[in-house]
Amino acid sequence: MKRSLPDGHAHDHRHVRGGFRSALREVFAPHSHDSSDSIDDALESSAAGIRAVKVSLLALGATFLAQMVIVAFSGSVALLADTIHNLSDALTAIPLWIAFAVGRRAATRRYTYGFGRAEDLAGLFVIAMIALSATIAGVESVRRLVNPVEIQHVGWVAAAGVVGFVGNELVAVYRIRVGRRIGSGALVADGLHARTDGFTSLAVVFGAAGVALGYPLADPIVGIIITIAILAVLRSATREVFRRIMDGVDPQLVDTAEAVLAAEPGVRSVRRLRMRWIGHRLHAEAELDIDSDTTLTEAHRIAHDAERALSAAMPKVATALIHAYPAEHRSPTA
């Protein structure tokens, strides 16, 4: 039987009248509907997450090597410090790699829901690193504004900034895209983390350009502007991770699930529906109203069919616990 779902379920994102403001918002706070249905299998989505982390590390490693070559030509100690900083930030992907690997472990008698929450813990670590990046960038910018430091080898410094920005932004786009596909808030946050590193490198480019044009204070001023941009990214990443920790889901997912359950034969209404993410998998609990004269066997069949329909319509749903009640009966939790 064909079921019609809410219009938003197709994820038809036609941002017609956004213009520059909409594009800018997408950079600092990428639009989210929690997940798409591109990758359905739990093991396959975990493998995709691990693959994204591996590719990211390779890409950022290549960026680091390219910057080190420029450091060797320029002899800039400041640039060397920034390059090492970018490498250390790239290595923050390792906890996320571990989280994806741990999340694939089967549930135990102690951890009956499995280990998917490891992703959320890794997301908290990513948020801490973004906050640290913002703090370092802000303090360093103010320090250079009060006590200006002459920038040497402006051309090489700008070249290193371009390399750092391109490498980090490519990794950011890739991580965010895969994170959306598999429904991983932590991987999206890590993509935003890479974007903050790209902003830092971009500040190097603009600052070097300003110095070359005869404005030595351009470097710290741009640094302060970039710090503000990093704080905007931090807000988006924090919201992404903490919503998962607080069992928050996109209301559109709830609307879709309610529509699927209500469309099932024998279901009079959806009394209660609760959904939450554990890692990159959804778990649902629902209470359905059915006719009071329905037999126990028939009620069980209705609940079972509703569960199958929900899993088919929303492949990210790992488990669905469905209760069927006579319409006149109120459950103890209602």
Side-chain angles (χ1 to χ4, degrees), residues 5 9 60 87 97 104 114 128 138 148 150 152 155 157 179 193 199 205 216 218 220 222 276 279 331-332:
L5 304 181
H9 184 69
L60 292 177
L87 176 65
W97 185 348
R104 300 172 71 172
E150 183 180 359
Q152 303 291 335
V157 171
H193 177 218
F199 287 156
V205 177
V222 171
R276 64 175 175 174
S331 67

Side-chain angles (χ1 to χ4, degrees), residues 78 81 135-150 217 219-221 223-224 227:
T135 301
I136 292 174
V139 170
E140 185 66 16
S141 296
V142 172
R143 186 183 69 81
R144 291 196 176 191
L145 190 63
V146 176
N147 299 304
V149 177
E150 183 180 359
L217 291 180
D219 181 55
I221 291 175
I224 292 174
T227 300

Side-chain angles (χ1 to χ4, degrees), residues 30-41:
H31 187 64
S32 170
H33 280 305
D34 277 338
S35 76
S36 66
D37 295 332
S38 301
I39 300 180
D40 306 334
D41 182 76

Side-chain angles (χ1 to χ4, degrees), residues 186-237:
L187 187 56
V188 172
D190 205 30
L192 292 173
H193 177 218
R195 180 157 286 163
T196 63
D197 293 338
F199 287 156
T200 302
S201 297
L202 194 61
V204 172
V205 177
F206 287 127
V211 171
L213 293 174
Y215 299 96
L217 291 180
D219 181 55
I221 291 175
V222 171
I224 292 174
I225 295 174
I226 295 300
T227 300
I228 296 173
I230 294 176
L231 290 175
V233 172
L234 175 62
R235 176 179 178 272
S236 178

Side-chain angles (χ1 to χ4, degrees), residues 60-319:
L60 292 177
T63 301
F64 166 76
L65 292 176
Q67 286 186 309
M68 282 300 297
V69 170
I70 297 175
V71 168
F73 277 107
S74 66
S76 172
V77 177
L79 183 57
L80 174 62
D82 184 64
T83 302
I84 294 175
H85 167 72
N86 284 336
L87 176 65
S88 65
D89 283 348
L91 294 179
T92 60
I94 293 179
L96 190 56
W97 185 348
I98 296 174
F100 276 118
V102 170
R104 300 172 71 172
R105 296 175 57 186
T108 66
R109 295 281 291 177
R110 182 180 296 275
Y111 299 99
T112 54
Y113 278 97
F115 296 85
R117 289 291 187 197
E119 285 185 40
D120 300 325
L121 295 178
L124 289 175
F125 182 78
V126 172
I127 288 174
M129 294 309 300
I130 297 176
L132 180 61
S133 295
T135 301
I136 292 174
V139 170
E140 185 66 16
S141 296
V142 172
R143 186 183 69 81
R144 291 196 176 191
L145 190 63
V146 176
N147 299 304
V149 177
E150 183 180 359
I151 298 179
Q152 303 291 335
H153 312 289
V154 174
W156 286 111
V157 171
V162 171
V163 171
F165 171 72
V166 172
N168 279 288
E169 182 59 20
L170 288 175
V171 167
V173 171
Y174 178 59
R175 284 177 176 171
I176 292 172
R177 182 177 301 166
V178 175
R180 295 287 183 233
R181 288 174 60 210
I182 68 175
S184 173
L187 187 56
V188 172
D190 205 30
L192 292 173
H193 177 218
R195 180 157 286 163
T196 63
D197 293 338
F199 287 156
T200 302
S201 297
L202 194 61
V204 172
V205 177
F206 287 127
V211 171
L213 293 174
Y215 299 96
L217 291 180
D219 181 55
I221 291 175
V222 171
I224 292 174
I225 295 174
I226 295 300
T227 300
I228 296 173
I230 294 176
L231 290 175
V233 172
L234 175 62
R235 176 179 178 272
S236 178
T238 301
R239 183 173 55 191
E240 184 86 32
V241 172
F242 273 84
R243 277 180 178 173
R244 294 299 178 92
I245 293 176
M246 296 299 296
D247 290 335
V249 298
D250 192 321
Q252 191 175 77
L253 292 176
V254 179
D255 293 340
T256 299
E258 286 181 341
V260 171
L261 295 173
E264 278 298 295
V267 176
R268 293 179 55 175
S269 64
V270 179
R271 180 183 301 180
R272 176 195 289 261
L273 174 64
R274 293 185 293 182
M275 305 179 75
R276 64 175 175 174
W277 289 97
I278 298 181
H280 51 270
R281 306 299 293 174
L282 273 169
H283 297 258
E285 298 179 19
E287 297 175 4
L288 308 178
D289 282 330
I290 61 176
D291 292 332
S292 57
D293 57 354
T294 305
T295 65
L296 180 61
T297 300
E298 185 65 13
H300 176 75
R301 184 194 63 78
I302 292 173
H304 182 66
D305 289 348
E307 178 185 349
R308 288 196 304 176
L310 185 62
S311 297
M314 305 179 68
K316 284 292 184 295
V317 174
T319 60

